[in-house]
C-alpha cells in the first residue's frame, strides 16, 4: 500500500503512513510490501483456515497493530478466525440498524474522523439513561465488532483512545447487567483478535459506583492497560487530557455531536458493500479438524467459551 485511502469517516495526516511504519521499524522502501507478502503466503499454507483471500490492507493493518511482529500478526489472524467459529453470535450482524436497535436508540458509538498529532484516533461511547440490560450490552458489543471489522479494513493508525461517557447512565442498572463472561469474550475479540491498541481508556462519571466498574476492569486488563485507565468527573477534565478538537460537542469537544457522527457510521455500515463484506468475513472461520496438532490447546486452552464442545487430541 502506497497511500492511505481517505473517506469522510476516517481522515489521516499526510505523514500518517510514514509515521506509523516508522514506529514499527518497517519504513524503508519495500519492507512493508515484503512483510505483507510473507504473511499472505503463510495464510495460504494454513490448512484449517476456511478463507484465505484477505485483502492486503487488512494484512498490513494486522502487521501494524502487531507492532511489526510477524508472529503476532499470525496469532491475531488465527485467533479472530477461531473466535468467529467459537463465538459466532458476536459477528452475526445482518443489519446493524435492526440488530442493534436498542443500544443505538439510547446510547451511541462515535468514531472521531480526525487523528490527533500522534496519529491516534478517539472512539467515544455514550451510555444512555434508559434501563440497561445484559441484552442491550450484548447489542453494544456486536455493534463494536461491526465497527472494528470496518476499522480493520479501512483505518491506519498507531493507537486508539477509548472514551466511555457514563454521565447519564444509571450505574446501578449498568453494573447489574454487566455479564463478566460476555465482557471477557468481547475484550478477547477486540484486543487479542482485532489487535486494537489502546493508548488510553477514559471513563467519565460523577457516580461513586464507577469505582466498582474500575475494580472489575482491573481484573481483566493487562498491567499496561491498567496504567492507561483514567477516570474523570466531568468532560472538561477529559478534554484537557484527550484534546477538545478530537471530541464531540456533547462530550466537551469541538467536533459534531456524537449522534450525528454515529448516524454517518450507521449509513456506511448498513451500505450494501459493507454488508457484503461483513458476510464474507463471517466465512473466515476455521475447520478445527485440520488444525496442526497441539496448536489449539497451546493458544486457546483456558479461555472462556464453548471449548468443551470440541474434542482436542
Amino acid at each position: 500500500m502506497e497511500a492511505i485511502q481517505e473517506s469522510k469517516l476516517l481522515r489521516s495526516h499526510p505523514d500518517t503512513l510514514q509515521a506509523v511504519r516508522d514506529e514499527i521499524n518497517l519504513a524503508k522502501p519495500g519492507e512493508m510490501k515484503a512483510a505483507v507478502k510473507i504473511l499472505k503466503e503463510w495464510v495460504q499454507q494454513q490448512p484449517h483456515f476456511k478463507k484465505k483471500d484477505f485483502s492486503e490492507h487488512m494484512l498490513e493493518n494486522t502487521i501494524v497493530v502487531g507492532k511489526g511482529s510477524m508472529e503476532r500478526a499470525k496469532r491475531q489472524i488465527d485467533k479472530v478466525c477461531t473466535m468467529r467459529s467459537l463465538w459466532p453470535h458476536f459477528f452475526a450482524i445482518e443489519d446493524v440498524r435492526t440488530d442493534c436497535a436498542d443500544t443505538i436508540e439510547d446510547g451511541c458509538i462515535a468514531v472521531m474522523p480526525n487523528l490527533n498529532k500522534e496519529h491516534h484516533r478517539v472512539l467515544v461511547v455514550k451510555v444512555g439513561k434508559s434501563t440497561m440490560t445484559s441484552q442491550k450490552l450484548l447489542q453494544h458489543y456486536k455493534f463494536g465488532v461491526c465497527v472494528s471489522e470496518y476499522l480493520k479494513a479501512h483505518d491506519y493508525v498507531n493507537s486508539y483512545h477509548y472514551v466511555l461517557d457514563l454521565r447519564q447512565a444509571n450505574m446501578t442498572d449498568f453494573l447489574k447487567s454487566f455479564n463478566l463472561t460476555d465482557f471477557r469474550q468481547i475484550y478477547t475479540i477486540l484486543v487479542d483478535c482485532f489487535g486494537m491498541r489502546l493508548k488510553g481508556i477514559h471513563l467519565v462519571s460523577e457516580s461513586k459506583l464507577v469505582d466498582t466498574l474500575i475494580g472489575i476492569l482491573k481484573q481483566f486488563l493487562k498491567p499496561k492497560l491498567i496504567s492507561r485507565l483514567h477516570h474523570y468527573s466531568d468532560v472538561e477534565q477529559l478534554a484537557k487530557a484527550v484534546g477538545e478538537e478530537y471530541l464531540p460537542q456533547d462530550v466537551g469537544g469541538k467536533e459534531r455531536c456524537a449522534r450525528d457522527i454515529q448516524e454517518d457510521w450507521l449509513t456506511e455500515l448498513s451500505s450494501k458493500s459493507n454488508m457484503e463484506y461483513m458476510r464474507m468475513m463471517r466465512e473466515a472461520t476455521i475447520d478445527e479438524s485440520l488444525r496442526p496438532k497441539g496448536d489449539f490447546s497451546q493458544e486457546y486452552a483456558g479461555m472462556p467459551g464453548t471449548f468443551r464442545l470440541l474434542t482436542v487430541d
Side-chain angles (χ1 to χ4, degrees):
M1 183 171 65
E2 300 304 321
I4 300 173
Q5 186 175 358
E6 295 290 331
S7 73
K8 70 174 183 179
L9 293 180
L10 301 168
R11 296 191 285 268
S12 58
H13 303 309
D15 63 334
T16 294
L17 187 73
Q18 185 68 29
V20 171
R21 289 178 177 179
D22 279 337
E23 185 175 290
I24 61 174
N25 298 315
L26 286 174
K28 294 180 181 179
E31 281 189 322
M32 180 59 81
K33 186 176 181 179
V36 170
K37 182 181 179 182
I38 292 171
L39 186 57
K40 190 173 185 178
E41 291 174 349
W42 175 83
V43 169
Q44 295 297 320
Q45 295 167 5
Q46 303 312 300
H48 58 302
F49 285 3
K50 291 185 178 181
K51 176 179 172 59
K52 302 185 181 184
D53 56 337
F54 299 114
S55 72
E56 291 195 357
H57 182 104
M58 189 278 243
L59 295 174
E60 180 168 340
N61 204 331
T62 303
I63 294 170
V64 167
V65 299
K67 300 181 180 179
S69 166
M70 194 60 61
E71 292 308 309
R72 285 179 182 172
K74 292 175 182 177
R75 286 198 298 271
Q76 281 181 22
I77 294 175
D78 189 275
K79 282 184 178 181
V80 73
C81 290
T82 301
M83 295 308 114
R84 286 192 186 99
S85 298
L86 292 173
W87 304 328
H89 59 288
F90 284 106
F91 302 87
I93 297 290
E94 293 293 340
D95 184 309
V96 65
R97 289 186 185 273
T98 301
D99 296 343
C100 304
D102 291 339
T103 190
I104 289 170
E105 181 181 356
D106 186 50
C108 186
I109 294 181
V111 183
M112 295 298 100
N114 295 319
L115 299 180
N116 68 12
K117 296 177 182 179
E118 288 74 38
H119 308 278
H120 305 151
R121 197 177 300 282
V122 178
L123 312 178
V124 176
V125 174
K126 291 172 62 68
V127 177
K129 57 186 177 182
S130 67
T131 302
M132 180 59 71
T133 65
S134 57
Q135 186 61 33
K136 189 179 291 187
L137 266 180
L138 185 58
Q139 282 190 18
H140 168 73
Y141 296 153
K142 290 180 178 181
F143 190 7
V145 168
C146 195
V147 170
S148 298
E149 288 274 25
Y150 188 91
L151 292 174
K152 191 75 170 179
H154 299 280
D155 208 5
Y156 202 91
V157 300
N158 275 340
S159 302
Y160 293 92
H161 283 275
Y162 177 83
V163 175
L164 180 58
D165 183 359
L166 294 163
R167 289 175 298 162
Q168 291 187 315
N170 182 319
M171 289 301 297
T172 301
D173 285 344
F174 185 85
L175 291 171
K176 285 181 179 178
S177 63
F178 199 80
N179 185 296
L180 295 180
T181 298
D182 285 347
F183 176 76
R184 180 176 292 182
Q185 291 175 351
I186 194 62
Y187 174 83
T188 298
I189 290 170
L190 298 182
V191 176
D192 295 337
C193 299
F194 284 116
M196 185 170 285
R197 293 169 61 184
L198 297 174
K199 196 66 175 179
I201 303 173
H202 311 272
L203 310 183
V204 187
S205 175
E206 294 181 352
S207 173
K208 294 182 179 179
L209 289 176
V210 74
D211 291 333
T212 302
L213 176 61
I214 291 173
I216 294 173
L217 294 177
K218 286 183 176 180
Q219 297 178 40
F220 299 97
L221 300 180
K222 298 175 182 178
K224 183 181 289 187
L225 284 182
I226 292 176
S227 70
R228 298 175 179 176
L229 179 61
H230 310 284
H231 168 228
Y232 313 95
S233 58
D234 56 57
V235 291
E236 287 75 20
Q237 295 175 351
L238 171 68
K240 289 179 181 179
V242 177
E244 60 182 4
E245 61 268 46
Y246 310 113
L247 291 168
Q249 295 172 4
D250 48 335
V251 192
K254 295 182 176 181
E255 273 284 1
R256 293 182 303 143
C257 74
R259 295 201 70 82
D260 288 345
I261 295 174
Q262 176 179 254
E263 183 58 33
D264 287 345
W265 274 82
L266 288 171
T267 299
E268 177 63 21
L269 295 176
S270 302
S271 67
K272 181 179 179 181
S273 60
N274 188 67
M275 286 293 94
E276 288 177 352
Y277 177 77
M278 292 288 290
R279 283 191 287 271
M280 178 183 68
M281 291 307 293
R282 282 202 296 273
E283 297 174 3
T285 55
I286 52 97
D287 183 340
E288 196 58 49
S289 66
L290 298 178
R291 186 192 293 273
K293 280 188 176 182
D295 285 3
F296 181 90
S297 58
Q298 291 174 16
E299 288 289 338
Y300 306 110
M303 294 181 67
T306 57
F307 296 93
R308 64 185 181 278
L309 299 179
L310 298 175
T311 300
V312 182
D313 188 348

